[in-house]
Amino acid sequence: MEPMNQEPLSIHSVSSTDSLEFTHFTRALTRSSVIGLDAEWKPLRAHQPTFPAVAVLQIACRLGGGDDDAVVFLLDLLAIPLPSIYGLLKEVFVSPDILKLGFRFKQDLVYLSSTFCAQGCDPGFDRVEPFLDITSIYNNLHHKQPGRKITKQTKSLATICEEVLGISLSKELQCSDWSLRPLTEEQKAYAAADAHCLLEIFNVFQLKVIKEGNSFQNVTEHGFSCLDLGLKEILKKPNSCDKILRTKFCEALAIVRATNSSVFSPRESTVRREVSVVSCMNTIPMDDSILQIVWKYSDKILLKESDTKPKTSKKKGKRKSSEGLICKEKRLENVDDWQGLPPWDLSLGGDGCPKFLCDVMVEGLAKHLRCVGIDAAVPYSKRPETRDLIDQAQREKRVLLTRDVKLLRHEYLIKNQIYRIKSLLKNEQLLEVIETFQLKISENQLMSRCTKCNGMFIQKPLTTEEAVEAAKGFQVIPNCLFDKNLEFWQCMDCNQLYWEGTQYHNAVQKFINVCKLNE
């Protein structure tokens, strides 16, 4: 069941600067006022003295300002000679004509800069501007106080996608080995979706800004009241052509930077250095709504020298002997395997219905379990204390699923109610739970629970008219569904509406394959 339809995504893999894909990529950049950035690398398995090398850089381009006209480019940084694209990327990162979107992109930029420096592209990348973090967009969509500084992240990108777009963003391949070639089709789709969803979330935000009718004409609202009339004249849109507007916009930005720099350092050399940073790519100019968002909400990423050095552990104390570590591992192995009867077993007074509690480390597994009809709860708070997890598991007679070895120390408190997941990918985790607890999964169980809150659906489906009435002030039913005579199902707990669309059938087939129900 799905709360939103999705169109096929245009994905282009770029592995050479001599390819047609690279030509398409450079042309797309000149037609894009907004791009989404993301990067993938081989996951770290232990503390390393160097940063990991970025293997793939994803750039999603919104062509010509159209909401649906988007394409994603996957730059294979293991195949492309990095010096050949260093200048282009550096110019894109600072171009005032392109708003860059990202999610926790500072870490990506640090790793990206280190990767290029290792190939002789000094000094790497030290800034991205104008930049807008997706968390900032999410906060403004939820009427939180807007501000330049991004608060500590509390929402994952998958959670933001589900709440803003109504789609489920799989993070199953996040920790796959991105250094292996060739990339699988699943890896390409995953990487592209991570970048494309940034544009989709921005589209929702831009529509909200336009709908609220915030005027861009009052330039003084955006911090220019202290500047002279000459700068205001430069910002006026000319009647001739958009190229003139773009050139004059770059001139205006140069004046702003030079003015700001002179406040702190009157030396002429400093002013010249600031002005020289301005980038004027031959791109289309931003429309008024994007410019307004840039002035009011955008920020920038600036890397300091300390950011470019891998952090080492500061913990002091005696190192544990290898013999002690081996003994500890053996003790954990004894606790790691499932033994005994689960709390829902009929012989223990249970109701026979499996119930699990997935901690924050396996929260994605909870949604997979719900998709196959299994009761899977998550902690009440985003950062629960160990005592809270134990209390919830005991009170609701659930088995606590985790990947945190430290939680196994409390096995004596919730005997036969804690299990450590060994697998890394969600599909494999699901199979591990099914096999360990001998769960019976049937096709009619699939998609029978609300993936958002774990609630059960109403017994009788709603008609389109009933669904529209039930969704008022809560959820938008796309107009394209009105003439399809679909049945709608509503969660009895959170009231989320679902229908059997393309995503529903794809999900059913996926879990038929994962659970091997055809065999």
Side-chain angles (χ1 to χ4, degrees), residues 404-446:
D404 188 354
V405 176
K406 295 179 181 179
L407 282 180
L408 297 180
R409 301 170 182 170
H410 305 279
E411 194 268 346
Y412 69 97
L413 292 175
I414 44 175
K415 188 173 181 59
N416 293 334
Q417 282 188 251
I418 185 169
Y419 176 76
R420 179 177 177 268
I421 299 293
K422 303 175 185 64
S423 304
L424 184 63
L425 302 181
K426 287 199 289 289
N427 287 349
E428 296 175 3
Q429 290 175 349
L430 176 62
L431 284 177
E432 181 181 339
V433 172
I434 291 174
E435 293 170 0
T436 300
F437 294 93
Q438 300 180 355
L439 306 180
K440 303 298 182 182
I441 307 296
S442 61
E443 189 171 339
N444 59 7
Q445 286 180 254
L446 303 182

Side-chain angles (χ1 to χ4, degrees), residues 10-29 59 61 71-76 80 85 88 188:
S10 178
I11 306 173
H12 295 268
S13 297
V14 183
S15 57
S16 170
T17 54
D18 297 327
S19 63
L20 291 176
E21 288 81 4
F22 183 76
T23 302
H24 185 21
F25 168 60
T26 55
R27 186 182 300 117
L29 288 176
I59 300 183
C61 299
V71 59
V72 181
F73 297 92
L74 308 180
L75 304 187
D76 187 348
I80 302 175
I85 60 172
L88 173 64
K188 293 178 182 178

Side-chain angles (χ1 to χ4, degrees), residues 82 86 110-125 308:
L82 300 191
Y86 173 61
V110 169
Y111 292 175
L112 197 64
S113 181
S114 172
T115 301
F116 274 77
C117 284
Q119 297 296 322
C121 302
D122 291 321
F125 306 106
T308 62

Side-chain angles (χ1 to χ4, degrees), residues 30-96:
T30 65
R31 298 172 53 200
S32 305
S33 295
V34 182
I35 64 173
L37 299 172
D38 193 30
E40 305 295 343
W41 53 84
K42 184 178 180 179
L44 296 173
R45 300 302 181 189
H47 293 291
Q48 296 182 355
T50 59
F51 291 124
V54 176
V56 180
L57 174 64
Q58 305 102 280
I59 300 183
C61 299
R62 197 177 78 170
L63 305 180
D67 291 353
D68 300 321
D69 192 10
V71 59
V72 181
F73 297 92
L74 308 180
L75 304 187
D76 187 348
L77 302 188
L78 300 185
I80 302 175
L82 300 191
S84 66
I85 60 172
Y86 173 61
L88 173 64
L89 292 180
K90 191 161 187 175
E91 193 172 6
V92 169
F93 287 169
V94 298
S95 172

Side-chain angles (χ1 to χ4, degrees), residues 246-260:
R246 178 169 62 252
T247 302
K248 290 189 176 294
F249 179 76
C250 291
E251 294 173 5
L253 186 57
I255 291 176
V256 171
R257 283 180 172 161
T259 304
N260 288 342

Side-chain angles (χ1 to χ4, degrees), residues 139-151:
N139 290 341
N140 282 286
L141 284 173
H142 287 71
H143 307 289
K144 293 184 179 180
Q145 185 67 31
R148 291 293 178 132
K149 292 185 178 180
I150 304 300
T151 56

